[in-house]
Amino acid sequence: MPGIFGLSSSRGGRSLGVSFGEAWLRRDEPKTPELMARYDQAIAELARGLPFAYAVGSEGFRTLNLAIDRRALIPRPETEGLVALVLEHGKRETRNGKRGLVADVGTGCGCIALSLAVEGEFEKVIAVEQSPAAAALARENVKRVSPKTAVEVREGNLLASLVDNGKRYRAIVSNPPYLTVAEFEELDASVRQFEPREALVSGSDGLEATRAIFSGAAALLKPGGLLAIEIDERRADAVRSLGREYGWDVAIHADLFGRPRYALSIKEG
């Protein structure tokens, strides 16, 4: 759905060109029937539990303000920590004269890819998304941000669209789905009813997507390249063991709340 006051473009409807803040400042001015209808619809959706970010049509992430709607998950603060770890690794490599490619697998609205493009020193960022609707939203955000480093959005399942061009990546980063069906059903209704299920659930053990990334990433990374994955805090030990099965030495890092949230591995060789 569009933002309450047409803050961002989205599926259906025409942008009214009025931001949420502008609409609040002009709240006493006469409103068009179209604007009032959209406002009433948004208030009704909020009463049903619609997340506020979807209602206003935007969400902040690190230095960015991104368009967001129900095509993709709302970016979380925890994911900002994953970006910080990748950027820190990138700074060390850049001092050695390396730039290279970085891939964001399961990009959603594009928050990770665009943050790396804006804040990092990379040759190019490839953003991969399985959902055509979410990929379209990511492309809208690429235009919105106009990052200094090029961001290419590709449609495909996990690593599949990275294999065919023969390129090797300096880093592969992913915030994949990592919940079981049972865990998804226990989520707050505001998440369960409105955010895309396919971006949250990953097989019977919550590790299906993570397993696929561990399985295929080594063939795509340069020697010394970084694999960085956001994980469920309840499965840190399982992720470490899973990585070991595929030849990765996994280091688990905590998020800003002290919870085990990020699995980082370096390709040897």
Side-chain angles (χ1 to χ4, degrees), residues 39-190:
Y39 178 82
D40 289 342
Q41 178 189 4
I43 293 300
E45 292 268 25
L46 285 168
R48 290 200 302 117
L50 180 75
F52 188 75
Y54 285 159
V56 301
S58 70
E59 180 69 6
F61 185 84
R62 291 184 66 87
T63 66
L64 306 175
N65 184 273
L66 301 171
I68 189 67
D69 58 39
R70 292 175 65 178
R71 289 175 286 178
L73 290 180
I74 299 169
R76 264 60 172 189
E78 293 90 338
T79 304
E80 296 186 13
L82 181 67
V83 172
L85 290 168
V86 177
L87 289 171
E88 181 58 34
H89 176 82
K91 287 178 183 177
R92 292 195 297 269
E93 293 295 294
T94 301
R95 285 197 292 267
N96 295 328
K98 301 178 182 178
R99 289 175 61 87
L101 301 174
V102 61
D104 169 26
V105 178
T107 198
C109 69
C111 59
I112 292 175
L114 285 164
S115 291
L116 294 175
V118 169
E119 300 181 62
E121 295 292 338
F122 299 101
E123 176 185 337
K124 186 178 183 179
V125 180
I126 307 298
V128 180
E129 175 54 53
Q130 182 175 8
S131 163
L137 177 60
R139 292 188 183 101
E140 292 169 19
N141 276 320
V142 172
K143 292 181 180 178
R144 179 186 180 109
V145 173
S146 297
K148 62 179 181 179
T149 297
V151 176
E152 177 189 346
V153 180
R154 298 180 183 174
E155 294 180 29
N157 182 33
L158 298 176
L159 303 177
S161 63
L162 302 177
V163 174
D164 59 0
N165 60 14
K167 298 286 186 180
R168 292 296 176 266
Y169 294 82
R170 186 169 136 204
I172 295 175
V173 56
S174 181
N175 177 18
Y178 51 63
L179 298 181
T180 66
V181 173
E183 290 164 348
F184 173 80
E185 294 300 330
E186 294 173 355
L187 292 174
D188 187 86
S190 64

